[in-house]
Amino acid sequence: MHLGATLRLLRVDAGLSLRDLARRIGVSSAYLSRVENGVDAPPTQERLTAIARELDVPPGLLMDVGNRVSPYVAGYLEDVPAAGTLMLDIARRKLTGAQLARVRAFLDAEFPLREVRGNEPVPPLAPLLSPERVVVQLSCGDYEDALDVAAGRLAAALPGVDGAALAEGLRQREGDAPSQVGNGVAVPHAFVAGAAPVAALVTLARPLKMDAPDGQPLRLVVALVDGHVGRARLMRLAHVARLAGRGLADRLHGLEEPQRVLETLEELEALR
């Protein structure tokens, strides 16, 4: 996983320059650049929290992307040590996403969740997809071919939107900041005025060698379109990065039916 690439992606989409964000969180732009390029270690919990505040995304979401334990979770485990034992029991049982969803349903029924500031839920990716917008085992020569296919599927769900124009919009956005977030996943995205959020997912038959932040070849493209900029958009991008860190490309590799891809995605999202 490459936290720095995700931070750069979110920063650019938030309309912040490297210097602006560095100034706001009290670090040098040189340091922040090294973090974004993977030269320096990921920021501390405190700095990630500060970055999340400036980007207006939940701190817990960035903690997940960076594989860091949220201060809220760490504090709870310190106050209630038995919670750590329960987590160990779950790990030993190797519960699947579907089984964890049953556990979550029980918790929701017996112990309704109280709102926790800074840990609000992130809208899942699966509802933005449909079998028609899932392309499995695509054989393509380069990344632009994958973008063309994704744009075509997205345009079919967006009345009045031309697929070629949408593909060009995705390419232009890639020029602002590459959308590869690591672990073989890219999340190209575009703005279409008035459009409701919609997604397309493309798995690749053969990995594409690209200048990825973590050196891993591209195996999965998750293309997003919406008609709004701001908090919800950034949260979706960070959520895809979180899924990438949880092995989304590995989980979908080899699946041959779009419906099975959606089911697997739903299982993985149940782990949130």
Side-chain angles (χ1 to χ4, degrees):
M1 192 58 218
H2 196 288
L3 173 63
T6 300
L7 293 179
R8 180 174 62 247
L9 188 68
L10 298 178
R11 174 180 61 76
V12 172
D13 260 69
L16 291 173
S17 70
L18 188 71
R19 180 174 298 179
D20 285 339
L21 182 57
R23 175 180 54 79
R24 293 186 183 191
I25 65 173
V27 300
S28 70
S29 55
Y31 162 76
L32 188 56
S33 176
R34 291 195 301 270
V35 169
E36 289 187 351
N37 287 285
V39 177
D40 278 10
T44 62
Q45 291 179 349
E46 292 75 13
R47 280 183 176 161
L48 272 181
T49 299
I51 291 172
R53 181 179 62 248
E54 297 303 328
L55 295 175
D56 193 25
V57 298
L61 184 53
L62 285 191
M63 298 291 177
D64 282 350
V65 174
N67 292 320
R68 289 192 179 276
V69 176
S70 165
Y72 176 77
V73 174
Y76 178 69
L77 291 175
E78 184 175 343
D79 294 339
V80 188
T85 302
L86 178 59
M87 290 301 299
L88 181 59
D89 285 343
I90 291 174
R92 286 172 173 167
R93 287 171 171 79
K94 297 183 178 179
L95 299 187
T96 66
Q99 291 168 332
L100 285 172
R102 291 170 57 190
V103 174
R104 183 186 295 276
F106 170 78
L107 293 175
D108 288 342
E110 294 293 322
F111 310 102
L113 181 66
R114 294 175 298 176
E115 283 296 321
V116 179
R117 185 176 177 85
N119 288 276
E120 58 266 49
V122 178
L125 174 63
L128 303 184
L129 292 160
S130 71
E132 295 76 23
R133 294 194 299 279
V134 175
V135 181
V136 295
Q137 301 296 307
L138 175 70
S139 295
C140 59
D142 55 35
Y143 184 39
E144 291 203 359
D145 289 343
L147 290 180
D148 287 339
V149 170
R153 298 302 175 96
L154 288 168
L158 298 168
V161 174
D162 177 69
L166 182 54
E168 182 59 28
L170 293 174
R171 293 189 187 94
Q172 289 180 358
R173 180 58 189 78
E174 289 289 299
D176 295 335
S179 68
Q180 295 176 73
V181 293
N183 281 18
V185 178
V187 55
H189 50 286
F191 171 81
V192 174
V198 64
L201 187 151
V202 179
T203 67
L204 303 182
R206 293 183 300 277
L208 292 176
K209 292 184 178 180
M210 299 180 65
D211 188 19
D214 59 358
Q216 293 196 29
L218 182 65
R219 294 177 290 156
L220 174 66
V221 175
V222 179
L224 298 171
V225 165
D226 63 46
H228 303 279
V229 296
R231 178 180 177 81
R233 178 189 181 106
L234 296 178
M235 288 172 67
R236 289 189 194 97
L237 294 174
H239 177 52
V240 175
R242 172 169 62 181
L243 292 173
R246 292 179 177 177
L248 180 60
D250 289 333
R251 293 285 296 272
L252 301 185
H253 177 71
L255 297 182
E256 298 181 352
E257 297 294 333
Q259 187 58 45
R260 183 57 187 142
V261 169
L262 292 176
E263 291 169 357
T264 302
L265 174 60
E266 289 171 354
E267 290 177 3
L268 188 58
E269 290 193 301
L271 300 174
R272 291 185 302 150

